Amino acid sequence: ISFDFQLTSINDIQVEDSITWVLFQDGQDNGIMKFIFDEGWQYRDSYRNFPEQITQINCFLVLDSLIVLGTNDGVYSSFMEDNLKNPSSWEKSIQDLNESISSIDKTVDGLIFTTDNGLYKYLKFSNQLHQINLQISIDNAQNIFASGNEYWFSSNETIYVYEIENE
């Protein structure tokens, strides 16, 4: 089975139970597609309407009933049961963060994400944002992956492993 929507690019795919979400670019537009597995994969819908501050979606996560977007204007989220076609359903998750998010992953207690030149940890229950002091200069940070007590990410051609106990 294949689905060809003549898109500019497929940027990421996230699977949660019997639902698959696809982050795509179509010309200048960003969007998310929804596929459902019900005796076979079926295309259900696409969502292209976001708050006007969002001009680029760089990455996303699906966390239980929540979709989290890493955008040009920080982190936004919406509950899946909300009307995802309504831009006002998407709320800014971290109010004081306006940087472009290049990659994002979940942790036990929140989110870990990269900007072009930084690594950040967001603790959702206490609503605290911490920039992680890497003691090195990085640019073009991306591809964050949380694994046990380590954060893996890349910066240009270099792969970094940050051990959490160093915080």
Side-chain angles (χ1 to χ4, degrees):
I1 186 169
S2 67
F3 299 93
D4 186 356
F5 295 94
Q6 303 296 309
L7 300 169
T8 304
S9 65
I10 303 293
N11 300 333
D12 200 0
I13 298 173
Q14 299 280 322
V15 179
E16 183 74 25
D17 296 323
S18 63
I19 303 173
T20 295
W21 300 88
V22 176
L23 175 62
F24 68 89
Q25 186 155 356
D26 188 12
Q28 297 297 316
D29 294 333
N30 297 279
I32 299 173
M33 284 187 197
K34 180 180 180 180
F35 295 84
I36 303 283
F37 189 83
D38 183 15
E39 299 181 22
W41 285 106
Q42 304 165 16
Y43 166 78
R44 279 295 161 94
D45 215 338
S46 63
Y47 308 94
R48 298 173 180 247
N49 300 321
F50 302 98
E52 62 185 33
Q53 299 90 332
I54 298 175
T55 57
Q56 182 69 37
I57 302 171
N58 302 317
C59 50
F60 81 123
L61 275 178
V62 176
L63 304 172
D64 299 319
S65 61
L66 191 69
I67 298 178
V68 180
L69 305 176
T71 76
N72 62 288
D73 186 47
V75 178
Y76 285 75
S77 62
S78 180
F79 287 101
M80 290 179 203
E81 66 265 12
D82 292 346
N83 178 2
L84 299 179
K85 293 189 178 206
N86 183 346
S88 64
S89 294
W90 297 94
E91 296 183 359
K92 191 153 190 177
S93 303
I94 306 170
Q95 293 302 320
D96 296 331
L97 180 72
N98 302 316
E99 289 188 62
S100 182
I101 307 303
S102 52
S103 65
I104 192 166
D105 199 7
K106 63 185 171 192
T107 64
V108 172
D109 52 2
L111 302 171
I112 185 79
F113 56 88
T114 56
T115 61
D116 276 345
N117 56 10
L119 180 64
Y120 291 84
K121 182 177 184 178
Y122 175 68
L123 304 173
K124 63 182 174 188
F125 297 115
S126 59
N127 194 29
Q128 292 181 321
L129 178 66
H130 302 282
Q131 182 169 11
I132 296 174
N133 183 0
L134 298 172
Q135 301 178 354
I136 56 169
S137 178
I138 59 171
D139 63 302
N140 197 30
Q142 54 191 353
N143 300 310
I144 187 71
F145 182 76
S147 175
N149 65 341
E150 298 172 333
Y151 301 142
W152 290 70
F153 67 97
S154 66
S155 175
N156 295 319
E157 300 84 24
T158 306
I159 298 169
Y160 293 94
V161 181
Y162 177 81
E163 294 185 36
I164 296 169
E165 54 263 1
N166 292 342
E167 291 183 322

